[in-house]
Amino acid sequence: MNNACTTWTPRILAILRIVTGYVLLWHGLAKLFHVPHIAMFDNLPLFSLLGVAGIIELIVGVLLIIGLFTRPAAFIGSGFGAAAYFIGHVAPSGIFFLPILNGGETAILLCFIMFYIIFAGPGSWSLDGSRSKAA
């Protein structure tokens, strides 16, 4: 079992990184390009709080998917997720310890997944890994 875990851990970490980036990317695409269309993002000013959030989601999402600058991207993304949780979910509801009640489950999970990626690195299948082998 240990050999299988040793073999598969970097690959599963890469899948976690890619899926996390994919989720972030779609949040950014919905805000900035209306794909998929979500009515609350209609007429969203680019330099509003949600507009800047979309820019961050788009950039960090792409960087995580391809595994480029993974740790800095995850650091920014983790801080972004924490800010999203507090600003978007805790502040309006006043509920801190129950994300199921304040609607912040996605934000807090993405925050801590990216916090893990800061320390764990990109895993397999990343441009960061390709760059370090070439150096």
Side-chain angles (χ1 to χ4, degrees), residues 6 14 18 30 33 36 56 60 63 66-67 77 95 105 107 112 122 129 132:
T6 302
I18 292 165
F33 300 106
I56 293 169
V60 170
L63 290 174
I66 64 175
I95 301 169
E105 294 161 306
F112 279 93
S132 67

Side-chain angles (χ1 to χ4, degrees), residues 80-113:
F80 166 76
Y85 181 71
F86 287 107
I87 294 169
H89 301 282
V90 173
S93 69
I95 301 169
F96 178 77
F97 288 109
L98 295 170
I100 193 168
L101 295 181
N102 68 26
E105 294 161 306
T106 303
I108 201 165
L109 281 172
L110 287 172
C111 171
F112 279 93
I113 290 169

Side-chain angles (χ1 to χ4, degrees), residues 6 11 42 61-62 83-84 91-92 94 109 111 114-115 126 134:
T6 302
R11 296 172 184 157
D42 287 346
V62 168
L109 281 172
C111 171
M114 288 183 281
F115 188 71
S126 70

